[in-house]
Amino acid sequence: EAGVAQSPRYKIIEKRQSVAFWCNPISGHATLYWYQQILGQGPKLLIQFQNNGVVDDSQLPKDRFSAERLKGVDSTLKIQPAKLEDSAVYLCASSSGPPDTQYFGPGTRLTVL
Amino acid sequence: AQSVTQLGSHVSVSEGALVLLRCNYSSSVPPYLFWYVQYPNQGLQLLLKYTSAATLVKGINGFEAEFKKSETSFHLTKPSAHMSDAAEYFCAVSGVPSETQLVFGAGTILRVKS
């Protein structure tokens, strides 16, 4: 079974630029998550999708971050404009349902200069 | 609100020694508890999970954890450390099955000395 795929693996941008990350979950997994992992911290949930609907985006900085999950499969997370404090690893995870085993992708490491 | 505290951001053990990584949680409902491992430049991999069945949970790579409700703890152990166990370990908590969100601790980096 193929795992969660993410691209790119690494991205370096200047502040105020925009960037997008892509995630392809495990086939058949209805729930998709985006996490932000800042160096030295545990992952923090940004947004949760159930199929193509948003379940929770309460921790997503909506003035600069946006995410979509078209057709309930792939998802894209965008940052525009990026700030220095957005430097982190962005992890995508998916699950098929309770009791909530989430499978994580390798992450995208973003560096904002 | 749920929270997780991992005691010790860094733990160092000798190869062959006992591994003990500590995790305490706070939750207003009976929790589901997880341990994940993260190797450098990789995503998180599930080691084991507690979902209100047996309190002693066995996971992959020889790891196990014991749920102690009275102590609100879910410490991770392995009898004999191997060099390949060197990684960062995260404890996480979630609520009832319908609450699918995980709250992670800050992580513990395990170093294994030869």
Side-chain angles (χ1 to χ4, degrees):
Chain A
E1 176 181 79
V4 177
Q6 290 188 247
S7 67
R9 291 296 311 278
Y10 305 91
K11 189 75 176 178
I12 300 174
I13 62 172
E14 301 279 338
K15 61 182 179 183
R16 290 186 291 274
Q17 287 186 323
S18 63
V19 65
F21 314 127
W22 173 82
C23 171
N24 182 244
I26 292 173
S27 178
H29 280 192
T31 311
L32 185 147
Y33 312 80
W34 283 102
Y35 289 87
Q36 180 191 58
Q37 186 179 16
I38 293 172
L39 186 64
Q41 300 180 20
K44 183 187 79 172
L45 181 69
L46 291 175
I47 188 167
Q48 176 188 346
F49 291 94
Q50 181 73 21
N51 297 309
N52 60 351
V54 175
V55 174
D56 187 344
D57 62 357
S58 58
Q59 298 190 84
L60 187 74
K62 298 181 187 62
D63 58 333
R64 298 185 299 105
F65 286 65
S66 64
E68 61 182 7
R69 189 182 185 197
L70 299 176
K71 300 180 181 179
V73 182
D74 294 7
S75 178
T76 303
L77 177 69
K78 297 179 181 177
I79 307 175
Q80 182 179 11
K83 293 185 175 181
L84 296 176
E85 58 261 37
D86 298 332
S87 293
V89 175
Y90 291 85
L91 294 165
C92 179
S94 69
S95 72
S96 58
D100 207 26
T101 297
Q102 296 185 24
Y103 297 89
F104 284 79
T108 296
R109 182 176 298 276
L110 173 67
T111 301
V112 182
L113 302 175
Chain B
Q2 296 165 328
S3 66
V4 174
T5 301
Q6 292 185 241
L7 297 175
S9 59
H10 291 78
V11 170
S12 183
V13 301
S14 297
E15 191 173 19
L18 172 71
V19 175
L20 171 61
L21 304 182
R22 299 178 187 273
C23 172
N24 289 87
Y25 68 92
S26 66
S27 176
S28 58
V29 296
Y32 288 70
L33 294 157
F34 306 81
W35 276 99
Y36 281 86
V37 61
Q38 187 175 36
Y39 298 99
N41 299 314
Q42 295 187 27
L44 280 73
Q45 179 183 5
L46 181 68
L47 275 178
L48 50 83
K49 62 184 179 184
Y50 167 76
T51 56
S52 74
T55 57
L56 182 62
V57 182
K58 294 187 183 299
I60 61 171
N61 302 337
F63 284 94
E64 63 182 35
E66 186 173 8
F67 172 67
K68 292 186 177 181
K69 184 178 179 179
S70 61
E71 299 177 8
T72 61
S73 69
F74 191 57
H75 301 330
L76 181 71
T77 60
K78 182 175 180 177
S80 176
H82 191 273
M83 296 297 288
S84 61
D85 295 327
E88 189 163 17
Y89 292 79
F90 292 93
C91 182
V93 63
S94 73
V96 295
S98 61
E99 183 182 339
T100 59
Q101 297 172 13
L102 292 175
V103 175
F104 284 88
T108 298
I109 294 174
L110 176 65
R111 178 188 173 209
V112 182
K113 299 175 291 184
S114 59

